[in-house]
């Protein structure tokens, strides 16, 4: 019983550690949650599906090739291009808000795919789970640790999407437009950082 609780809590801490820091995924969740709760939720669940998939693949020894430098560089290039793509359409949404239109749109599954691609094309996500997997496998209960991880990430995604979507009624079009512009700039910044850290740093 103690091992199960300890494993669950340890997994939950790892999950929150992965989900809470502000990065491309959380920025995208907030951008879409301002449109609809379920769209922000879809972004987060898509990203989480990749996180869980990476962790399982690493623990079964299926991602040894991911440490290849060339593959890391290829992922970084496509990741940066995808971030710039998201930044471009977020910028377009800001202009739509200025004209009193809807802004960002899309269905649940299209947003789910965007969230998944955000993590698939980020080589540092693989690196994070590679570094965490060793700790994960020595938890008192791996199954409960995995459960705690999933519960914590889902809880964060639901919480963030809910809070942002509920605040929409208090946020005017100009504020939403400013947030869209800031989100676009941050996405472009993440793309530049990804290229810099992969090809130029050190």
């Amino acid at each position: 019983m103690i091992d199960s609780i300890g494993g669950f809590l340890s997994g939950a801490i790892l999950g929150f550690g992965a989900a809470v820091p502000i990065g491309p995924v959380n920025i995208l969740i907030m951008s879409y949650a301002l449109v609809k709760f379920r769209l922000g939720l879809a972004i987060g669940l898509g990203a989480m599906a990749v996180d869980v998939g990476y962790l399982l693949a690493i623990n079964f020894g299926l991602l040894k090739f991911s440490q290849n430098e060339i593959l890391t560089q290829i992922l970084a290039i496509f990741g940066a291009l995808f971030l710039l793509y998201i930044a471009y359409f977020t910028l377009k949404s800001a202009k739509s808000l200025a004209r009193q239109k809807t802004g960002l749109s899309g269905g649940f599954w299209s947003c789910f795919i965007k969230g998944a691609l955000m993590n698939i094309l980020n080589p540092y996500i693989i690196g994070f789970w590679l570094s965490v997997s060793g700790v994960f496998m020595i938890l008192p209960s791996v199954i409960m640790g995995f459960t705690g991880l999933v519960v914590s990430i889902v809880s964060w995604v639901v919480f963030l999407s809910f809070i942002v979507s509920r605040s929409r009624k208090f946020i005017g079009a100009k504020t939403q437009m400013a947030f869209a512009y800031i989100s676009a700039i941050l996405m472009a910044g993440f793309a530049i950082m990804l290229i810099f850290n992969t090809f130029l740093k050190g």
Side-chain angles (χ1 to χ4, degrees), residues 96-180:
S96 297
L97 285 167
R99 296 191 297 267
Q100 302 301 309
K101 293 183 179 180
T102 303
L104 291 171
S105 61
F108 181 91
W109 290 112
S110 68
C111 290
F112 183 93
I113 292 170
K114 286 178 184 177
L117 284 173
M118 190 71 74
N119 274 0
I120 289 173
L121 296 174
N122 187 346
Y124 296 104
I125 296 296
I126 301 176
F128 173 81
W129 290 115
L130 281 170
S131 65
V132 163
S133 61
V135 177
F136 196 85
M137 291 306 296
I138 61 172
L139 293 178
S141 173
V142 175
I143 294 176
M144 290 304 294
F146 183 79
T147 302
L149 178 96
V150 173
V151 169
S152 63
I153 295 177
V154 171
S155 299
W156 171 253
V157 169
V158 172
F159 171 78
L160 182 61
S161 300
F162 178 77
I163 291 297
V164 174
S165 65
R166 292 293 291 179
S167 67
R168 186 174 186 269
K169 64 179 68 175
F170 306 109
I171 299 175
K174 289 185 178 180
T175 304
Q176 291 183 48
M177 183 175 65
F179 181 80

